[in-house]
Amino acid sequence: MIRIEICTNGYQSVINAQENGAHCAELCESLEVGGVTPSYGTLKKVAADMKIPVRVLIRPRSGNYIYNEAELEMMCLDIQLVKQLGYEGVVIGALNKNGDLDVEKIKIMMKAGEGMKFTFHRAIDACNNPLEALATLVELGFDKVLTSGCKPKAIDGVGMIRQMQEKYGDIIKIMAGGGININNVVTIINETGISNCHASLTVDVDNYNQLLYPEKIDNTGAAMCWKVSSPQNINEMLNLIKNV
């Protein structure tokens, strides 16, 4: 069975995911910078209404995955909050200044979320040796890793994703993510052998007040439109993968 995880950028996207058949979701904010940890209000509201497994991205800022002690403390506090709110798990990652897994910081974060499930995010694609890193993640207790195969988009990284799947797919879920859409999802599945895909499937919202903002910006040039995971796109992807 192919499982589709929707990368949701807020409350409405989670609702759209669960009402249209998605198997699970990752919750974050600010997808335009790769995602950061959602606000407390978002976490609380989603926790009250979620009906599918949801894991929360723990990332205090955009940019690299090399974190100082203050950032580590903030991430641990967020993990503890997520655990208290009843989420299935968290999505974490950290590298050291040499570009290898920062195992010490990862262990500290996992301790803060003891009892939850852990996904390792696309820091795997930025580390020095992703295959060796995968072996370490298995030892640490991760059950899922999100990867684009060390390329900007998963469709370009199918070779590496296939290697990951062949070597470790029986002991950790290899989940392809990064530019996955209804036009390439079947190809990615067929060329890699994976059974987990991650996609945001976003479109511009309809209710941004077109009359007031016909160009989708205000007088300052600030964007007045935002994106949400599309029910239609979610449905279409789920239908596409039924017979794969």
Side-chain angles (χ1 to χ4, degrees):
M1 173 184 170
I2 307 299
R3 289 175 60 84
I4 299 297
E5 175 179 281
I6 301 301
C7 180
T8 59
N9 61 343
Y11 176 81
Q12 189 58 52
S13 288
V14 174
I15 298 303
N16 290 350
Q18 66 188 23
E19 289 184 350
N20 291 278
H23 303 103
C24 54
E26 176 191 325
L27 176 61
C28 65
E29 288 181 355
S30 302
L31 283 174
E32 63 275 10
V33 296
V36 295
T37 305
S39 71
Y40 172 76
T42 299
L43 290 170
K44 186 90 169 174
K45 180 62 176 169
V46 171
D49 295 341
M50 62 186 177
K51 295 180 176 64
I52 58 174
V54 179
R55 300 190 190 187
V56 177
L57 177 63
I58 305 297
R59 188 178 178 219
R61 55 163 172 77
S62 60
N64 66 32
Y65 308 108
I66 304 166
Y67 299 113
N68 61 34
E69 293 302 317
E71 290 168 332
L72 176 63
E73 181 181 355
M74 289 186 285
M75 289 191 289
C76 288
L77 290 169
D78 282 335
I79 291 168
Q80 290 166 358
L81 172 62
V82 168
K83 181 178 178 180
Q84 290 166 8
L85 289 172
Y87 284 87
E88 177 188 71
V90 289
V91 182
I92 63 174
L95 303 179
N96 62 27
K97 63 182 180 181
N98 298 318
D100 298 312
L101 296 183
D102 193 328
V103 174
E104 181 180 350
K105 287 187 174 66
I106 293 167
K107 285 181 176 179
I108 291 170
M109 285 189 277
M110 295 183 80
K111 180 67 175 176
E114 192 170 6
M116 289 198 298
K117 294 182 178 180
F118 295 92
T119 302
F120 196 86
H121 57 49
R122 286 178 62 190
I124 189 75
D125 296 320
C127 73
N128 288 326
N129 194 320
L131 292 176
E132 285 184 12
L134 263 175
T136 301
L137 296 179
V138 171
E139 292 173 4
L140 288 170
F142 284 82
D143 74 325
K144 192 185 293 186
V145 61
L146 173 64
T147 179
S148 60
C150 305
K151 299 291 185 181
K153 294 183 178 180
I155 191 66
D156 302 316
V158 290
M160 175 58 76
I161 297 171
R162 182 169 57 248
Q163 287 185 59
M164 292 177 171
Q165 177 64 26
E166 290 173 350
K167 194 164 185 178
Y168 295 105
D170 58 338
I171 50 177
I172 186 172
K173 297 180 183 72
I174 308 298
M175 181 168 62
I180 294 183
N181 56 50
I182 57 177
N183 296 314
N184 60 26
V185 63
V186 172
T187 298
I188 290 168
I189 292 167
N190 287 337
E191 292 195 12
T192 62
I194 57 164
S195 56
N196 289 268
C197 286
H198 170 99
S200 62
L201 303 178
T202 55
V203 295
D204 287 348
V205 296
D206 294 326
N207 59 341
Y208 64 90
N209 197 327
Q210 295 92 327
L211 290 176
L212 193 57
Y213 307 112
E215 303 299 323
K216 300 184 179 181
I217 58 174
D218 69 5
N219 323 349
T220 71
M224 293 291 109
C225 186
W226 60 99
K227 292 184 178 293
V228 66
S229 295
S230 161
Q232 180 180 345
N233 289 347
I234 294 167
N235 266 308
E236 188 167 353
M237 180 169 285
L238 287 165
N239 286 329
L240 279 171
I241 56 95
K242 278 181 180 176
N243 301 315
V244 177

